[in-house]
Each structure stands twice: as C-alpha cells, then as structure tokens.
Amino acid sequence: MNWFIYEFPKWLKKNLFNTPVNSVVSLFIISLGLKASMYILDWTFLSAVFTGDASTCRESTGFCYPFIKEKFPFIIYGFYPRELIWRPTLAMILLLSSFFYVKEPKRWNKYSLWILSSGFFLFFFLMRGGLFLEVVTNDKWGGLPLTLMLSSIGIIFSYPFGIMLALARRGNLKILKTLSITYIEMIRGVPLISILFMSSVMFPLFLPEGITIDKLLRAQVAIILFVSAYMAEVIRGGLESIDKGQYEASNSLGLSYFQTMRFIIIPQAIRVVIPPTVNTAIGMFKDTSLVLIIALFDLLNTTKSSLKDSDWLGFSVEAYVFVAIIYYVFCYAMSKYANRLEEEFGIKSR
Amino acid sequence: MNKYFQDEKIRAQIFQFLTLFMILGIFGYLFHNTQTNLEKQNIATGFGFLKFEAGFDIGESMIEYWSDDTYKKAIFVGVLNTLKVAIIGNFLAVFFGVLIGLSHLSQNWLLRKISKFYIETIRNIPLLLQLFFWYAVFTENLPGVKEAMELLPNIFLNNRGLYFPIPVDTKSFSFIFIALVISIIGFFFLEKVRVKKEILEGKSFSFFEKLNYLIFLLPVLTWFILGSPSEINYPSLSGFNFSGGYRFSPEFSALVLGLVIYTSAFNAEITRAGISSIDKGQWEAASALGISKSDSLKIIILPQALRVMLPPLTSQILNLTKNSSLAVAIGYPDFVSITNTTMNQTGQAIECVFIIMVIYLSLSILTSFVMNQFAKRFQIVER
Amino acid sequence: MSENIIEMNKINKWYDDFHVLKDVDLNVKKGEKIVICGPSGSGKSTMIRCINRLEEFQQGSLMVDGININNNIKNIEAVRKDVGMVFQHFNLFPHLTILENLTLAPTRVKRVPKEEAELMAMEYLDLVRIGDQAHKFPGQLSGGQKQRVAIARSLCMRPKVLLFDEPTSALDPEMVKEVLDVMVKLAKEGITMLCVTHEMGFAREVADRVLFMDEGRIVEENNPNDFFDNPKNERTKNFLSQIIH
C-alpha cells in the first residue's frame, strides 16, 4: 500500500509521463487499450454464447463457444476414428513427455536418445496400430498429431543431412563443397510450397514403375529436404563458433580426429547449435501448415475444413482464434526454452 | 599401393569421387525412371507448352490479359502480381518494422510493452493461418456492398475489397507522381548539401532549410503545365456493386496485410537487436562530446546498427517475397498460383516446378545483390 | 589561487537500493590535476561520470565552470562542450576515419568550419604523435594508438576540464607508457584533469592531489608524496599494499 502511494506516482512520472510527447503517447495508448480490452471482454465473455447451437450463436455478436465444442475433436484429430481417439491422445502425451524429459541440458546423455526413440516408436505404434491394436492407415491421420509428427520428424531427420552438408561446405574438397553450397542456397532461395509441389507431382515420376509412396511420406521427405538446408547453416554456425585453439589444444594432447570431435568439439558445438535449432523448429512447426496446399489434413487444414459444415457456417474467426492459441502456446514455449538455453550457456561459457 | 592409401590427400580425393559417383548414380537412376514414366504417360518434355493457349481467366492483372492468351503471358501476369505484392509488402514491412523496433527501445513503458507483445504474438502464429484469418475478415465479417464502411471520405471498405478514388487522367498523374518522387529525392539531396556546407563553413543555414522545401513546388508546377487536370474518379454505389475508383481485391488486401503484419514483427526484432547490439560506450562518447541524442542516433548509432541489421533484413525481404507464394491458398493470382494452374492443366510438372525455382532463385539473387551493394557502404574497416 | 572550476556538494546516488555515492564533496581549482584511486565498485568512475552528466545523481549539487548541473538539457549540453572525457574502452566511432572522429563534434556541435576543424585535428594528432594515421579507421590501430586518438578527439572540443576513466586499464602493458606520456604532456600544459587510474608513477609525477575512494566515500585525500609514503587510513594502507609490490 505504501508502495502504491509513494513509489507508484514516481514510477508513472518516470516511465509514462517524462516528456510532453510521451504523456500524449501514453494517454493515447491507455485510451486505446481500455477500448480494446472492453471490446475483447465483451466479445469473449459478456456477449459470448456458452451453450446452444448455431442459431443461438448467430443471434449474438460474441464468441461462439458451442462451435469450438462441437468441432474440437475434428480440429484436433482430423478423420481419426472417433472411438479410437484415446490412441492419438496418448501418442501425443508420450511424444511430448519424451521431449519434455530430454529438454534439460543436464539430461543430455546416451539415455536421452533412447527416451526420444522410444517416444517416437510408441507414437507411431499408437497412431498406426498393429499387433493387438486395430490398424489405422495414415490417410486418416490428421490435426495436431500430424502437425507434431511432420515438424518433429522433419527437425530430427534433417540433422544428419545438415551435418553432412555443413561439413562438406566447410571442408576443402572442392567438388563436394560446390555441391553442398548449390544445394543449400538453392533450397533456401525457393519457397517451401515449390518443394511441396515437387513432392506431390515430381516424386511419383522419380520412382520405378509399380512403386508408389503415399502422400504423407512424400510431404515428410520434402520437409526433411527443405529443413536440411537451413539446419546445415545452423550447424555450420556452431562449428565456426569453436575457437581454432580448441583443435590445436586437443591435437597437441595427442587426441585423434575422432576423439577431438567426440570429446572436445561436438560437446561445445551442441551448446551453440541447440538454441538456433529450437528456433528452426519453431519455424518448422509453423511452416508445416503449408501441407494443406497439397491436401494433407494438418491442424490448420482440419480447422479450415471444419468451417465447411453447412450447419455451422460463418464462425471462421472463432476457429482461427482457437487454433492460433494452440500454435501460439507451442511456439511460445519453444521460444522461451531457446532463450533460457541461450542464457544458461552464455553464463557458463563466461 | 598401401602408400597411396595412407596419403591423407589422396584418401580425401578418393572419398570425394566415390561420393560424387554415388550422387551421380542416384540422379541417373531417378532421371531414367522419370523418362520411362513420362513416356508411358505420353507427356512431351520441353517448354513448347508455353506457347499454347492458357484458356483460364486471371482475377486481377496489371497488364491486359485474356483467357486466349498464351501460358507464357499468363505466367508473366503472375510474375507482375508477385512483384506488386513483394514491393508494396516489403516497403511497408520494413517501414513498420523499424518503427515498432524503435518503439521497443522507447523510454515509454507502455509503448515498449505493446511492441514486445506485438512481436512475440505475431511471430508465434503461422503466416498461413494469419492470411486465412484476414481473408475471412475481409470476405465474411466485412459489411456487404450496400452497407460498405466509409473509412475516410470516399474510401470504402466492404467484402468485395477496398475502394479509393483515383484521378481520371491517369497518364498526367503518373507524370505528377514521378515529379513528386524526384522532389522527395531532391529534397534529401539538398538537405545533405546544406549540412555539408554548414560543416564546411561552420555556419548555420536555417534559411536554406526553409528554402529547400520549395522543391515541392515541382509536382504542383507539373500539374499546372499539364493543364491542371482535376477530374477525379470516385467510387460510388451503382446497382449491386461499386463502380469507379480503384479497387484492391480482398485477396490482395488480405495477402498484403497478412504479409506486412507478420514480416514487420521480424523486422522489428531485427531493428531492436541491431540497435541494442551497439556498445553503450558509443552513445556515451557521443554525448560526452556534446552531440545531441537525435544526432547521435543518426550519425553514430544507425550507420553501425545498419551494418548488423542488413544481412537479416535481406533474408526477411527474401522471406516476404517467398511467402507471397502463399497467395495460392487464398486465391490471389500470384505467379506460383498461375504456374500451379498451368501444371494441373498441362501435366508439365517438371517444367513448371523448374520455372518456379528459376524465377524465385533469380529474384533471390537479384535482391541479395542489391542489398550487398547497399551493405558495402556500411562496412567497417578492420585490421 | 584561482576560483573553483568544479564544486561538488554532498552528492548522493543510488542504483535502485544500492547506495553508490555517499555525501561526496569535492572542489577542484582551475588547472588542478587530481588522481582518484580505490578498489573496483568504490564509485570512482560513477563520480567522474556525474561531472559530465553521463550519470544522474539524486541528491546534492554540482557546479561546473559556473553552470549548475540539473535536469535542464541546455545546461547539460553546455557543460558537455566544456568537459572532455577519455574512456577505458576508447569508444572511438568505428565507421568513421580517425580524422572524421576528431572533426565530428567540433563541426556539428561548435560549428567550426571544416577546414579549420581539420587543421586543429591534425595539430592534436601531431601532439599525440599519430598525425600519419589520420585517414585510417580505428579498427586498423593498436590499443595505445586508439587511446591517443581518443585523447586527441576530446581535446578538439578545447575542453576546460578533461576526465579520464581508467584510460590505461584496457591496454597491453607495452602500450601504457605511450598513453601516459601524452597525459603527462597535457598535464604540463595546464589543463584541469581528473583521472581515475592506478598508475602510481603517473600520480606522483603530475597529481596535485590524490583521492582514495571506498564504498562510495572519499576516504582520504592528500598530496601524492604523503598519500603514498604515509597513508593515514587503514583501508588506504591495505589498498596500497595490494597494488604496490
């Protein structure tokens, strides 16, 4: 209370009203902010419809919660059989908890690879079925699990390619270097859509007669090829950040090339590479939404399709706001994680 | 023999050629498969199809186009549409990005928090989703033609697009516009000369500062010389639609709005990071010498910050250009969307994907080249 | 002697809860050379940075050459024209040539004609003995050369007071002397100097007074000989025994 009487006015003076211009700006923002928050309060709460159907919603100007409730399973799970929904749910929980376990730097050891692999294995087992579970083919997969799968597989599988490309680009073998630079710059110069188009119309032509691969796998391959180019640059940055003295020091201790990489360079490079990797992952998570252009039912496409229901026409703002919040939560969590790692590593390296 | 394998250089070369052969082998195999598949489907390879009649209409075009024009012309229309979005979008995105980035560093607490909120929210939501959102707002939530909103006098917004008045005599006005651009450039040039002269002679020429504004009489003069055309084509409601004026379609408006909002968040972050990367000592040294805050920003901080900002800014400019291809999802006829239609109609998948890649790569290279030339001016000489 | 050019009266400064300067009083006469030493975090840099208002203070008053330093922007600008500062990390402008670094402030702030400013700059560059480097960029110079340029840059404003904030502590040992030589030369020309430094040889040679600061207070002040040979305060003794081997 004391703070409110003595310190708060000082704080206001210093931060909002220190010059005449700032005072005008502050007053303008405050009035705009009040108006906006009144509007949002009205839209999400006061005028919102909490129970009822499409016709009750149409009579009101507020947010239509029944629409979200009605369409929630479709938006999140797509065409996955309704009675088996526990499987993608459990699959996502297991996959996310494996990420959650592995994210702490203090747990980065050989076990974390096992945890991650079993996370993916269980994810695919639950999604697809087999053994004692009913098989669900991947043309029925959709929504959030699909988005999670496309982006996390994309990131993880692009790593080996990225490392190869980065090493080739940094090496002194002229031909490999040229090839690597051409690949990286070409992929980075064109939009993801063109690579996805390529996957849907050109990949089938590449394969020998009689062999077809399904649309989902083609898109996944396209995403991996695309991210690899970006990952290569991230890894190159990591390798370049290691001081030359580190190589010299470990050579002078008699360590072999392999030992130098394993014990000296990679442990340091990882610290530099992980934060930008997470940032690439954020980009990838957002960019997987482009697969809707080649008619895969990722989270954004299920949302868009849910709007076509003739009983529930005209609630696109509700649907997009809802799904934007989902994307936001994931991306925000990842970006906070990247920031935290940067800070931790920054302090340690000092 | 053994001796050769132990030579580091020879071993590396052998490794290199093995990899090369493997890559060539894979490519050869894919090429072979592709050829057999194309023969089987009776698709002729090559770019001959570009001369055929396109047979589809294009919603908006900057040049005259009819559905019996060739595919080549259709794709050219698309390229022009892409350039229109990219140029307008990048201009606005850099402008607002820098503005928001500067507000993030402002002394005003509210302004800082709002900019931060904007940057963090917008960057964490997929662009495609934002485009859909704006497109839905434009087509579903805006009033119909009869209830069109009048944003400013004679500027109307409804679910068919944004209408604003343009002069009837567009040709004269393009001359006037050119005169305006010349006078803006001329004004900055004269100001530069004035500051240079002030430094040279150590006097203040505030009189010239006012005199320099006279250059803005140039467009007015042009207007008089061209016979002072003053007829203006106002948009107005006639029957079931607006006629007259100039229209930005909902597709174009949603695309530009979405791209600008999304990219300016990234540009803002680049601006903020660029300016805060400059050592605090630079500000201190400047103010210890008695240089004012705005002069410090202009002649000490910004030239150094721009050096840091230009590479990421270039990649954002390229990103916006590449992202304009998402137009295909909301039905704006950009060049990817037209090439996609061409691909579906002719089945010439390889050629069309090739065209897309070549045009984007040339746009990327061109942009990088221009930005690099610009960046050279800000390079700092080191030992 | 002559009148005071700096009058500090009961200056108090806080960073949030941390009390950096406690009742600091200091009067400096025209032409006086003062060396300030003390452990790191004792507030010595903060104190001299108050003189050209790079730091605000919350209580007390400070007059520089008859100008009262308060929040008035006009006063701050006026004081900064008269007070030059040399920083620990040089803070040269890396995107400008040496000559441009020197002429920037005179031409923009004092409106000295360019030609005249360049002549003056060359004069000062010769004084610090790097006239031949005028068209290079700061990145091409060594640390000692950079610091001499920084000194010349502040001289170009023809300041009445020159502040040095640990000018030699970021330098390689072999470069310290070339900078100190320039500072001694300046001292002999009669400019008022306040210098935060631990270079005791320099202090003995030029200082009129040596101040010792600890925990935000001026703990001891004396002429250099008495200060070094028989310090009175226990903390001063301790500090001196640590830096003189």
Side-chain angles (χ1 to χ4, degrees):
Chain A
M1 198 61 216
N2 262 344
W3 177 86
F4 197 78
I5 297 168
Y6 297 109
E7 296 298 322
F8 189 56
K10 273 191 213 161
W11 182 90
L12 279 181
K13 173 101 179 74
K14 193 178 162 209
N15 290 297
L16 301 185
F17 303 102
N18 55 345
T19 64
V21 180
N22 263 344
S23 308
V24 174
V25 171
S26 298
L27 287 175
F28 180 72
I29 295 176
I30 290 171
S31 65
L32 215 67
L34 280 178
K35 226 173 180 175
S37 31
M38 286 306 286
Y39 180 80
I40 291 171
L41 184 73
D42 181 67
W43 187 60
T44 57
F45 192 73
L46 297 177
S47 309
V49 177
F50 292 94
T51 51
D53 55 17
S55 54
T56 12
C57 281
R58 285 206 185 88
E59 281 160 24
S60 160
T61 52
F63 194 94
C64 180
Y65 289 97
F67 170 80
I68 300 296
K69 206 176 148 200
E70 170 78 19
K71 292 295 172 194
F72 183 83
F74 183 74
I75 290 178
I76 300 291
Y77 301 106
F79 295 107
Y80 209 88
R82 267 312 150 270
E83 65 281 5
L84 298 176
I85 266 177
W86 65 272
R87 277 165 49 183
T89 315
L90 189 61
M92 283 194 290
I93 292 174
L94 288 173
L95 187 66
L96 290 176
S97 13
S98 77
F99 290 160
F100 205 75
Y101 178 85
V102 171
K103 83 178 172 47
E104 293 307 317
K106 60 173 189 275
R107 299 204 190 105
W108 290 350
N109 50 39
K110 57 186 170 191
Y111 300 112
S112 51
L113 276 181
W114 283 107
I115 298 272
L116 211 57
S117 324
S118 36
F120 275 108
F121 175 77
L122 288 170
F123 177 82
F124 282 111
F125 175 64
L126 283 165
M127 287 298 287
R128 186 164 190 291
L131 296 178
F132 49 92
L133 290 175
E134 193 184 323
V135 172
V136 179
T137 48
N138 70 21
D139 53 322
K140 294 212 169 56
W141 300 6
L144 189 55
L146 192 82
T147 294
L148 281 178
M149 182 197 100
L150 285 172
S151 44
S152 48
I153 295 277
I155 287 294
I156 287 174
F157 278 77
S158 67
Y159 240 83
F161 286 109
I163 291 177
M164 283 195 282
L165 285 166
L167 288 177
R169 191 170 185 168
R170 267 174 60 80
N172 354 326
L173 299 173
K174 288 272 159 51
I175 303 175
L176 291 187
K177 190 172 179 163
T178 319
L179 280 176
S180 153
I181 293 179
T182 315
Y183 180 82
I184 293 172
E185 295 308 329
M186 210 173 82
I187 296 285
R188 278 158 38 101
V190 300
L192 175 56
I193 293 200
S194 63
I195 312 276
L196 288 171
F197 279 152
M198 201 167 96
S199 81
S200 70
V201 296
M202 272 169 77
F203 283 5
L205 292 175
F206 289 158
L207 296 170
E209 238 197 308
I211 298 181
T212 52
I213 50 172
D214 59 64
K215 205 158 67 178
L216 183 61
L217 186 59
R218 288 196 318 245
Q220 183 71 76
V221 170
I223 287 177
I224 293 172
L225 290 178
F226 183 75
V227 197
S228 301
Y230 288 83
M231 206 53 97
E233 290 298 275
V234 166
I235 291 164
R236 187 166 71 108
L239 290 174
E240 272 167 13
S241 72
I242 307 290
D243 186 36
K244 222 177 85 194
Q246 296 292 315
Y247 292 93
E248 289 169 358
S250 60
N251 284 344
S252 71
L253 287 170
L255 296 179
S256 71
Y257 174 80
F258 177 76
Q259 287 169 321
T260 307
M261 282 294 163
R262 168 74 187 79
F263 297 109
I264 313 294
I265 306 302
I266 289 178
Q268 292 184 60
I270 274 193
R271 299 180 161 243
V272 187
V273 162
I274 293 289
T277 299
V278 179
N279 285 326
T280 313
I282 296 172
M284 211 50 250
F285 186 74
K286 288 184 293 176
D287 279 351
T288 49
S289 57
L290 267 59
V291 297
L292 83 76
I293 291 168
I294 53 167
L296 282 177
F297 280 86
D298 77 313
L299 184 57
L300 186 55
N301 205 2
T302 52
T303 310
K304 202 159 180 278
S305 310
S306 73
L307 299 170
K308 290 188 184 131
D309 184 346
S310 54
D311 293 340
W312 292 90
L313 282 177
F315 296 107
S316 34
V317 172
E318 276 85 348
Y320 290 140
V321 167
F322 171 68
V323 77
I325 292 172
I326 298 181
Y327 275 110
Y328 177 81
V329 168
F330 275 94
C331 294
Y332 184 78
M334 283 193 274
S335 67
K336 281 285 132 179
Y337 171 60
N339 285 350
R340 207 194 78 198
L341 284 186
E342 263 165 24
E343 268 165 36
E344 264 179 38
F345 293 161
I347 289 162
K348 270 186 196 163
S349 68
R350 243 177 249 155
Chain B
M1 197 65 199
N2 206 6
K3 202 178 82 194
Y4 288 114
F5 276 111
Q6 275 173 8
D7 187 315
E8 209 176 353
K9 277 192 184 139
I10 292 177
R11 234 159 58 162
Q13 289 303 331
I14 291 173
F15 171 72
Q16 164 157 279
F17 280 106
L18 280 180
T19 322
L20 190 66
F21 280 129
M22 214 169 75
I23 293 172
L24 284 178
I26 293 171
F27 266 99
Y29 177 67
L30 294 180
F31 185 73
H32 171 76
N33 286 337
T34 312
Q35 245 181 351
T36 359
N37 284 328
L38 287 176
E39 264 165 37
K40 200 143 278 167
Q41 292 173 22
N42 277 327
I43 299 174
T45 47
F47 291 94
F49 72 97
L50 286 175
K51 294 198 198 75
F52 300 158
E53 186 180 304
F56 54 82
D57 281 313
I58 297 178
E60 47 194 300
S61 166
M62 290 166 74
I63 55 173
E64 209 156 295
Y65 168 85
W66 305 102
S67 61
D68 54 4
D69 278 323
T70 59
Y71 281 119
K72 201 157 107 190
K73 190 159 182 198
I75 292 175
F76 183 65
V77 168
V79 172
L80 286 181
N81 279 343
T82 293
L83 287 177
K84 180 173 154 194
V85 169
I87 291 170
I88 297 181
N90 271 319
F91 184 74
L92 293 173
V94 170
F95 177 77
F96 285 110
V98 171
L99 208 66
I100 295 163
L102 289 175
S103 344
H104 197 308
L105 298 166
S106 124
Q107 293 178 323
N108 191 308
W109 184 84
L110 275 173
L111 207 55
R112 258 188 346 247
K113 291 289 154 188
I114 285 194
S115 321
K116 193 176 169 209
F117 176 76
Y118 175 84
I119 293 172
E120 289 199 344
T121 316
I122 296 298
R123 293 205 309 168
N124 284 331
I125 297 170
L127 171 61
L128 191 56
L129 171 54
Q130 296 189 35
L131 289 180
F132 283 147
F133 177 83
W134 292 116
Y135 189 57
V137 167
F138 269 96
T139 51
E140 291 171 25
N141 295 49
L142 285 182
V145 173
K146 296 231 153 140
E147 298 87 31
M149 290 193 280
E150 195 166 1
L151 295 178
L152 293 165
N154 287 312
I155 296 180
F156 295 95
L157 185 64
N158 64 33
N159 59 12
R160 299 262 178 94
L162 180 70
Y163 295 80
F164 50 90
I166 51 162
V168 176
D169 187 359
T170 40
K171 207 163 206 170
S172 322
F173 268 87
S174 58
F175 281 117
I176 296 170
F177 182 74
I178 292 169
L180 184 70
V181 172
I182 291 174
S183 56
I184 290 172
I185 296 170
F187 177 74
F188 280 106
F189 177 73
L190 286 176
E191 277 295 283
K192 219 172 168 175
V193 170
R194 176 181 69 89
V195 172
K196 211 167 180 178
K197 209 167 159 60
E198 280 185 353
I199 288 172
L200 208 64
E201 299 184 9
K203 289 179 208 141
S204 157
F205 290 108
S206 44
F207 171 68
F208 280 102
E209 189 178 349
K210 285 170 192 111
L211 211 62
N212 285 345
Y213 284 103
L214 286 181
I215 196 172
F216 287 107
L217 285 177
L218 185 67
V220 181
L221 219 66
T222 321
W223 181 67
F224 267 114
I225 290 168
L226 291 170
S228 48
S230 57
E231 219 179 319
I232 285 182
N233 185 354
Y234 289 105
S236 63
L237 190 63
S238 65
F240 292 106
N241 211 340
F242 271 85
S243 64
Y246 191 83
R247 181 180 83 115
F248 279 151
S249 67
E251 291 81 18
F252 177 82
S253 316
L255 184 63
V256 170
L257 187 69
L259 286 171
V260 168
I261 288 180
Y262 187 74
T263 315
S264 51
F266 287 86
N267 290 347
E269 177 56 21
I270 290 168
T271 310
R272 185 202 64 75
I275 291 178
S276 24
S277 77
I278 303 304
D279 183 25
K280 220 178 73 196
Q282 295 288 314
W283 285 102
E284 287 180 352
S287 47
L289 287 168
I291 299 169
S292 72
K293 201 142 192 172
S294 60
D295 269 355
S296 305
L297 188 68
K298 213 164 68 191
I299 54 187
I300 308 290
I301 305 301
L302 275 184
Q304 295 182 57
L306 268 178
R307 183 179 58 96
V308 186
M309 284 161 60
L310 276 177
L313 212 53
T314 307
S315 80
Q316 282 310 320
I317 287 174
L318 291 174
N319 274 350
L320 189 145
T321 313
K322 284 187 277 171
N323 283 335
S324 71
S325 61
L326 295 182
V328 69
I330 55 170
Y332 174 75
D334 85 318
F335 123 83
V336 171
S337 132
I338 287 174
T339 314
N340 192 31
T341 314
T342 308
M343 178 158 71
N344 291 337
Q345 285 191 2
T346 60
Q348 305 280 0
I350 298 180
E351 291 81 358
C352 287
V353 170
F354 181 79
I355 291 175
I356 295 181
M357 291 198 161
V358 164
I359 292 196
Y360 266 107
L361 277 178
S362 3
L363 280 181
S364 298
I365 291 169
L366 190 73
T367 315
S368 306
F369 178 76
V370 172
M371 294 301 279
N372 281 341
Q373 292 304 311
F374 192 52
K376 273 193 187 146
R377 296 184 50 193
F378 295 101
Q379 228 129 53
I380 285 175
V381 184
E382 298 277 351
R383 249 207 287 217
Chain C
M1 240 165 71
S2 53
E3 79 277 25
N4 289 332
I5 193 158
I6 296 172
E7 288 180 11
M8 267 191 187
N9 197 359
K10 294 235 177 303
I11 298 260
N12 276 285
K13 177 176 171 65
W14 288 265
Y15 285 124
D16 294 325
D17 286 339
F18 180 58
H19 202 165
V20 219
L21 295 178
K22 300 169 186 162
D23 288 335
V24 173
D25 284 310
L26 176 67
N27 291 327
V28 181
K29 295 195 184 74
K30 223 172 211 165
E32 220 180 349
K33 280 91 190 135
I34 291 183
V35 165
I36 303 149
C37 57
S40 67
S42 60
K44 49 195 193 310
S45 287
T46 312
M47 183 186 83
I48 68 164
R49 287 159 62 93
C50 283
I51 296 173
N52 64 350
R53 194 49 166 61
L54 286 181
E55 302 278 352
E56 294 175 48
F57 49 87
Q58 281 85 18
Q59 283 174 14
S61 71
L62 173 53
M63 300 271 279
V64 177
D65 198 25
I67 304 167
N68 190 5
I69 299 193
N70 46 24
N71 286 336
N72 188 331
I73 295 174
K74 279 257 153 58
N75 287 2
I76 294 172
E77 279 177 2
V79 161
R80 283 177 177 167
K81 280 184 203 170
D82 286 343
V83 179
M85 184 161 205
V86 176
F87 298 86
Q88 180 179 1
H89 295 288
F90 333 129
N91 296 346
L92 295 178
F93 306 129
H95 60 303
L96 303 177
T97 63
I98 302 303
L99 193 62
E100 286 167 342
N101 262 284
L102 266 68
T103 55
L104 182 74
T107 52
R108 300 249 173 184
V109 180
K110 280 190 158 174
R111 298 223 172 278
V112 178
K114 195 178 174 193
E115 220 169 305
E116 201 178 301
E118 281 179 353
L119 280 176
M120 175 175 67
M122 287 311 295
E123 226 170 84
Y124 283 120
L125 281 178
D126 287 336
L127 179 81
V128 300
R129 290 192 300 271
I130 28 182
D132 49 336
Q133 316 273 14
H135 295 286
K136 287 191 177 169
F137 285 89
Q140 297 167 297
L141 302 186
S142 73
Q145 289 174 320
K146 280 186 202 167
Q147 194 59 297
R148 286 186 279 147
V149 171
I151 294 172
R153 178 175 71 178
S154 56
L155 288 173
C156 278
M157 288 295 279
R158 300 199 193 276
K160 293 176 179 151
V161 179
L162 209 46
L163 309 173
F164 290 84
D165 188 0
E166 308 207 22
T168 53
S169 31
L171 294 178
D172 290 334
E174 76 271 19
M175 292 169 182
V176 170
K177 190 173 173 297
E178 63 187 59
V179 172
L180 288 179
D181 284 349
V182 168
M183 288 167 65
V184 171
K185 201 155 135 192
L186 283 179
K188 294 194 170 139
E189 291 189 358
I191 192 168
T192 314
M193 281 168 64
L194 274 84
C195 191
V196 173
T197 184
H198 293 159
E199 295 295 334
M200 295 308 147
F202 171 78
R204 274 183 196 269
E205 190 177 348
V206 306
D208 298 310
R209 263 192 291 164
V210 181
L211 309 184
F212 177 73
M213 282 188 78
D214 193 25
E215 291 177 357
R217 286 180 205 283
I218 298 178
V219 178
E220 183 164 351
E221 69 173 280
N222 215 331
N223 65 60
N225 289 334
D226 289 341
F227 181 87
F228 292 114
D229 298 339
N230 57 63
K232 296 185 187 73
N233 193 295
E234 205 50 46
R235 280 186 278 182
T236 318
K237 281 181 199 162
N238 235 326
F239 177 75
L240 287 176
S241 71
Q242 274 162 12
I243 62 166
I244 299 171
H245 305 288

